[in-house]
Amino acid sequence: MKLTVFTEYTLRTLLDLASQQGRLVTVADIAQRHDMAKHHLNKVVHQLGLSGVVRTVRGRNGGIVLALRPGEINLGKVVRASEPHFHMTACFDGGQTDCPYALACGLQGVLARASHAFLAVLDEVTLADLLPQLPASGLPRNRFDQIIQLVTSD
């Protein structure tokens, strides 16, 4: 199973933002640090903003910042939201297949279990778990609240 580039960029962006400990970061900075296409990264950030995982601040001193503490960001949810589907073979796509074994094949069930196991592992992990330099609970609550208040005020 291979994740899409969109999901890879999503995970890298979240890791980058978490490592910045609440500082506003520009898309250009993330793109440069991780050798990502800025145009594609803009789509990732837009989706993360719509889902409430990041906050965006417009303007000359703007940027993006995590809207949640790293410990509140579950990787399973992030991957499910960023992947279009988990069709490992053609028979996962609504049963539409030209496979001669489709009616009597046990492979689809095995692959479905494997896909569920993959997601179950991700469901056990938060962004904070991937950042040993941050406390497991993420940013200290008072610092996090100050950052969110700053980026959400008009």
Side-chain angles (χ1 to χ4, degrees), residues 35-55:
D35 194 27
M36 298 179 191
K38 187 178 169 190
H39 176 73
H40 200 58
L41 186 55
N42 280 324
K43 294 177 183 179
V44 167
V45 169
H46 177 72
Q47 185 62 39
L48 287 170
L50 290 176
S51 68
V53 176
V54 302
R55 297 234 193 267

Side-chain angles (χ1 to χ4, degrees), residues 32-84:
Q32 182 179 8
R33 271 194 293 276
H34 298 280
D35 194 27
M36 298 179 191
K38 187 178 169 190
H39 176 73
H40 200 58
L41 186 55
N42 280 324
K43 294 177 183 179
V44 167
V45 169
H46 177 72
Q47 185 62 39
L48 287 170
L50 290 176
S51 68
V53 176
V54 302
R55 297 234 193 267
T56 58
V57 178
R58 292 182 179 255
R60 191 173 73 159
N61 295 319
I64 56 176
V65 66
L66 291 178
L68 303 169
R69 285 181 274 145
E72 298 172 322
I73 299 173
N74 178 274
L75 291 191
K77 288 181 183 179
V78 169
V79 169
R80 281 182 184 88
S82 62
E83 282 293 311

Side-chain angles (χ1 to χ4, degrees), residues 111-122:
L111 293 177
R113 286 187 9 236
S115 180
H116 290 297
F118 171 78
L119 291 169
V121 169
L122 293 177

Side-chain angles (χ1 to χ4, degrees), residues 16-27:
D16 190 279
L17 291 173
S19 72
Q20 299 300 319
Q21 298 192 32
R23 290 183 296 240
L24 286 173
V25 179
T26 66
V27 169

